[in-house]
Amino acid sequence: IIMVSKRKFAGAFKAQVALAALKERETLAELAKRFDIHPNLITRWKQEFSERAAAVFDTPVQAQDTEREAEQLYAKIGKLEVELEWLKKKSKLA
């Protein structure tokens, strides 16, 4: 029985390999030798990188929406704090 250990690779490493493959300055065999991985893995990462590339440009829009929402929530918190203080003062007078 042959035991094959499955190596795990960081996202940054996968991106580095995919970018090198997209540049097409080296063959798959050369890249496989340089990065010490199987050529099929390079092909898979290159395809996955290409398919998800559009998401890179979508992220800032999502970040802006999140930032805008946070600002609205902070404004609401501030308003509620002012109302709470006003109600506390009014309840002491009664």
Side-chain angles (χ1 to χ4, degrees):
I1 297 176
I2 298 175
M3 298 286 290
V4 177
S5 66
K6 208 170 190 183
R7 298 184 337 187
K8 294 191 180 201
F9 301 97
F13 177 74
K14 291 178 181 182
Q16 178 186 7
V17 174
L19 284 171
L22 285 168
K23 289 178 184 177
E24 297 182 347
R25 293 182 183 156
E26 299 173 80
T27 66
L28 277 179
E30 291 170 334
L31 289 171
K33 184 176 180 181
R34 178 161 64 118
F35 291 109
D36 189 31
I37 56 176
H38 196 278
N40 291 347
L41 201 52
I42 296 173
T43 302
R44 188 174 352 137
W45 291 349
K46 179 181 171 183
Q47 181 181 4
E48 189 175 331
F49 188 87
S50 297
E51 289 170 357
R52 294 183 179 180
V56 171
F57 298 105
D58 293 338
T59 303
V61 173
Q62 293 170 348
Q64 288 174 356
D65 290 343
T66 303
E67 187 176 317
R68 191 176 312 122
E69 185 178 338
E71 288 174 8
Q72 291 172 345
L73 290 173
Y74 283 123
K76 187 165 188 158
I77 290 170
K79 181 181 174 186
L80 290 172
E81 285 178 340
V82 169
E83 289 177 8
L84 179 63
E85 290 301 315
W86 183 82
L87 288 170
K88 283 180 182 179
K89 287 178 184 176
K90 281 294 187 181
S91 67
K92 288 180 184 177
L93 294 176

